[in-house]
Amino acid sequence: MKSRPISIDPMPPAITRLSALARLDEASIAALELAIQQQESISARRELVTEGRPVPAAKLLLGGWAARVRILLDGRRQFLSFVLPGDLIGLCEQRAPLAVSTVAALSDCTICIAPSAGDLPMLRQAYAVSRALDEAYLLAQITRLGRLNAQERIGDLLLELFERQILAGIVRDNAFDFPLTQEMLADALGLTSVHLNRTIQTMRRDRDLMWQRGILKLLHPAALTRKTGRVAARVTGDLA
Amino acid sequence: MKSRPISIDPMPPAITRLSALARLDEASIAALELAIQQQESISARRELVTEGRPVPAAKLLLGGWAARVRILLDGRRQFLSFVLPGDLIGLCEQRAPLAVSTVAALSDCTICIAPSAGDLPMLRQAYAVSRALDEAYLLAQITRLGRLNAQERIGDLLLELFERQILAGIVRDNAFDFPLTQEMLADALGLTSVHLNRTIQTMRRDRDLMWQRGILKLLHPAALTRKTGRVAARVTGDLA
DNA sequence: CGACGGCTTGAGAGACCTCAATGTAGGTGG
DNA sequence: CCACCTACATTGAGGTCTCTCAAGCCGTCG
């Protein structure tokens, strides 16, 4: 880090994140900045991608949260993964692809078209790493649902989201925007909202976290990491 | 399909499967046949890819079963997905990739190097569709673990495996090779082997399936599909 | 034949669910 | 400024699905 006038990180989260995934050159950043100027607002609950239909052009999430979700015939709902600022939506190598899951805005969001990485190898690499991370998050989700109990699931997911928010540079004092309801979180974790509520309460009592008015704060992320036996995803040997 | 002497499908499962994912041209098939001549035997339990280490060259599974697996610090095990004949292992767009999960042989296997799709657009498309299917299987796994009960999980997974084996052309009379132990299946489904055993028994009693000596037979796949509310993955609008 | 891995069975416990009611904060209209 | 509404969070009581621990069984293989 070069020294800078004391201020909040001035870069948009999306650029912070993609720069963290691969060393972006000037041209890539310029392309991103240009795309970001053409941003669009999306209101909560709107679908950005619909399961079974053709995948629209790739988007970049600039602000707000979205999620991949699957609804069963009898109405049961399962969130497959969360989409946070700086994440890509609907990136796809294949011709004539059909969406394998719906992506829906969980809060009001802003998005833009993801600039083509056609002649920008650095950007292409960032996209590839982003895809690899997406896959890692799916695997982590499977492990959570298959083998962790309620408290471990919650701790593990919150830590993952925390680390992802750090990547995008939008964590301050261990706290970050968290626009989910308990019911949404429960539907991500394979729990009922009642049981999630009770478990969150004991975590509050244990001073693991504070969560109110859409802000989540992890009081001792390192301790929580140890407690849940969590291992963060590493996806490239390039950096670090 | 041209008419051919009446016989069992003479093609290796891998070629059958990849041809089903995209219309392969002569050159692609020739490349695959050439690669298959250089096959290698892998004994059960060996690791083909190791989590956290660099991803080796992409492989094609020709025979036997493998699985992506994650082991927790305290020994709990979670199978993330199964790798069946015709599936690709370690396909990757990124430079300097690190494996996000271990891939281990569940039975004795034969594999070969996956031919490069560099100048074979059809083969490249088949690979892309294969990757998209892999992702769809992960999403299905999440939904199973998060929102289905034991019987639904079993039915849903067995149907998925059944459909995948059909793609590779290795199902006969609704029966196929199934080299898993009950404990492995339990570790894929987030259950204990005890509970899996009891649930399988009621499914046997209900005449849903027969399973003995490494052969699994679904007695009424269509009925089971209806019963579990299952929807199969569609990933491309190209074919069908 | 004994050893082994895998399958099966029993009994009891616990984590998580269901149903239902109550509490609370923010937002809107009068 | 208050009444009201809605969405969300919280609490209680009881039920059940799945787990744990443990033992017995069965086929295979050396």
Side-chain angles (χ1 to χ4, degrees):
Chain A
M1 296 274 158
K2 298 238 177 83
S3 74
R4 249 199 235 128
I6 294 143
S7 76
I8 330 150
D9 186 349
M11 287 201 290
I15 294 189
T16 303
R17 185 179 113 94
L18 291 171
S19 309
L21 302 187
R23 303 195 190 292
L24 294 186
D25 51 358
E26 300 281 326
S28 297
I29 293 187
L32 287 168
E33 283 170 341
L34 185 63
I36 291 175
Q37 283 170 23
Q38 299 289 322
Q39 59 185 246
E40 186 188 348
S41 291
I42 301 290
S43 51
R45 300 160 150 272
R46 231 185 85 190
E47 290 187 5
L48 298 166
V49 178
T50 302
E51 184 172 345
R53 311 201 48 192
V55 180
K59 306 287 193 316
L60 185 54
L61 184 61
L62 300 175
W65 286 31
R68 304 180 70 172
V69 60
R70 189 157 285 178
I71 310 281
L72 306 190
L73 297 177
D74 60 0
R76 284 177 283 185
R77 178 172 72 170
Q78 177 66 49
F79 287 112
L80 306 166
S81 67
F82 291 110
V83 184
L84 310 186
D87 285 353
L88 290 149
I89 299 170
L91 208 53
C92 225
E93 313 290 319
Q94 181 194 162
R95 284 179 3 222
L98 298 183
V100 289
S101 73
T102 293
V103 179
L106 299 178
S107 63
D108 292 339
C109 293
T110 62
I111 63 173
C112 69
I113 304 284
S116 158
D119 48 354
L120 297 169
M122 298 291 121
L123 189 58
R124 187 202 312 286
Q125 168 73 359
Y127 284 1
V129 173
S130 184
R131 279 173 62 87
L133 279 174
D134 284 347
E135 182 180 352
Y137 298 140
L138 293 182
L139 302 184
Q141 174 78 336
I142 290 173
T143 308
R144 266 193 291 274
L145 294 175
R147 284 291 171 243
L148 302 192
N149 64 29
Q151 181 145 358
E152 292 169 325
R153 284 185 211 184
I154 297 171
D156 189 76
L157 176 58
L158 295 185
L159 283 167
E160 178 190 299
L161 295 171
F162 177 70
E163 287 159 13
R164 291 171 64 180
Q165 298 277 47
I166 287 180
L167 254 196
I170 45 184
V171 172
R172 296 226 251 141
D173 190 25
N174 286 349
F176 55 93
D177 279 340
F178 195 81
L180 302 184
T181 65
Q182 293 190 355
E183 189 167 7
M184 291 175 187
L185 193 53
D187 280 349
L189 292 174
L191 302 169
T192 59
S193 61
V194 172
H195 191 62
L196 178 92
N197 178 285
R198 291 197 233 264
T199 311
I200 288 279
Q201 282 176 62
T202 86
M203 294 180 77
R204 284 205 254 247
R205 252 178 262 124
D206 295 350
R207 309 253 61 201
D208 285 326
L209 55 83
M210 295 195 329
W211 174 13
Q212 47 193 336
R213 261 160 283 166
I215 306 285
L216 181 77
K217 177 167 183 170
L218 297 184
L219 297 179
H220 306 287
L224 194 54
T225 301
R226 243 172 293 119
K227 197 151 118 184
T228 62
R230 173 176 171 71
V231 182
R234 290 246 346 255
V235 137
T236 172
D238 256 6
L239 310 170
Chain B
M1 297 278 157
K2 300 234 177 87
S3 75
R4 255 202 229 121
I6 293 142
S7 74
I8 328 152
D9 187 350
M11 289 201 289
I15 294 188
T16 304
R17 185 179 112 95
L18 291 171
S19 308
L21 301 188
R23 303 196 191 290
L24 295 186
D25 50 357
E26 300 280 327
S28 297
I29 292 185
L32 287 168
E33 283 170 341
L34 185 63
I36 290 175
Q37 283 169 24
Q38 299 289 323
Q39 61 184 242
E40 185 189 348
S41 291
I42 301 290
S43 52
R45 303 162 147 267
R46 230 184 88 190
E47 290 187 5
L48 299 167
V49 178
T50 303
E51 184 172 345
R53 312 201 47 192
V55 180
K59 307 285 192 318
L60 186 53
L61 183 62
L62 300 174
W65 285 32
R68 304 180 70 172
V69 60
R70 188 157 284 178
I71 309 281
L72 305 191
L73 296 178
D74 61 359
R76 284 176 283 184
R77 178 172 71 170
Q78 177 66 49
F79 286 113
L80 305 164
S81 68
F82 291 111
V83 184
L84 311 186
D87 285 353
L88 290 148
I89 299 171
L91 207 54
C92 224
E93 312 291 318
Q94 178 193 167
R95 284 179 5 223
L98 298 183
V100 288
S101 74
T102 294
V103 179
L106 298 179
S107 63
D108 292 339
C109 293
T110 62
I111 63 173
C112 69
I113 304 285
S116 158
D119 49 354
L120 297 168
M122 297 291 124
L123 189 57
R124 187 203 311 285
Q125 168 73 0
Y127 285 1
V129 173
S130 184
R131 280 173 62 86
L133 279 173
D134 284 347
E135 183 180 352
Y137 298 142
L138 293 182
L139 301 184
Q141 173 77 336
I142 290 172
T143 308
R144 267 193 291 272
L145 295 175
R147 284 289 174 246
L148 303 192
N149 63 30
Q151 182 146 359
E152 292 169 327
R153 285 186 210 183
I154 297 171
D156 189 76
L157 176 57
L158 295 184
L159 283 167
E160 178 190 300
L161 295 170
F162 176 71
E163 286 160 12
R164 290 171 63 179
Q165 299 277 46
I166 287 178
L167 255 195
I170 45 185
V171 171
R172 298 228 248 139
D173 191 25
N174 286 350
F176 56 92
D177 280 341
F178 195 80
L180 302 183
T181 64
Q182 292 190 355
E183 189 167 7
M184 290 174 187
L185 193 53
D187 280 348
L189 291 174
L191 302 170
T192 58
S193 60
V194 172
H195 191 61
L196 179 91
N197 178 284
R198 292 196 233 265
T199 310
I200 289 279
Q201 282 177 60
T202 84
M203 293 180 78
R204 285 205 253 248
R205 250 177 264 124
D206 294 351
R207 308 253 62 203
D208 286 326
L209 55 82
M210 296 196 329
W211 176 13
Q212 47 193 335
R213 264 159 283 163
I215 305 285
L216 180 77
K217 177 167 183 170
L218 297 184
L219 297 178
H220 305 288
L224 194 54
T225 302
R226 242 173 293 119
K227 197 150 119 183
T228 61
R230 174 175 170 71
V231 182
R234 290 248 343 258
V235 137
T236 172
D238 257 5
L239 311 170

